[in-house]
Amino acid sequence: MRNILDEAYARTTELMTANLDKLHAMSQLLLQYETIDAPQIDAIMEGRDPPPPAGWNKSNKDGGGNDKGGDARPLPPIAGPAESH
């Protein structure tokens, strides 16, 4: 079992290191839009500039210039601790 885990860890580290530029591109999209969709991932993986996520447009910016991403819907309230049964 240890050997399987060590090999998987080594392979994962290799893949992430080799594709670090793509990981950074994805992180930038998440910071900008707070979401990544399949066409954006495809573009990044193919070395192209990713488009905005589906449904995103310039009117989704608020008056302060802050980007709200796709649908500017209010978030639901944060619930308290789960009830125990």
Side-chain angles (χ1 to χ4, degrees):
M1 184 59 83
R2 178 63 185 211
N3 189 41
I4 292 170
L5 292 174
D6 288 344
E7 287 176 10
Y9 179 83
R11 179 71 177 138
T12 301
T13 302
E14 176 186 326
L15 287 170
M16 292 181 78
T17 303
N19 294 290
L20 194 57
D21 58 329
K22 293 173 181 153
L23 291 172
H24 285 290
M26 289 182 195
S27 70
Q28 288 302 313
L29 284 179
L30 285 170
L31 289 171
Q32 183 176 0
Y33 300 113
E34 298 180 3
T35 186
I36 295 179
D37 60 17
Q40 290 176 302
I41 293 172
D42 291 342
I44 290 170
M45 297 307 288
E46 294 168 2
R48 298 182 286 115
D49 287 334
W56 187 89
N57 59 46
K58 296 292 182 190
S59 66
N60 289 342
K61 290 188 174 198
D62 66 13
N66 293 325
D67 192 355
K68 290 186 176 181
D71 296 328
R73 294 180 282 202
L75 296 174
I78 297 174
E83 295 180 28
S84 59
H85 295 284

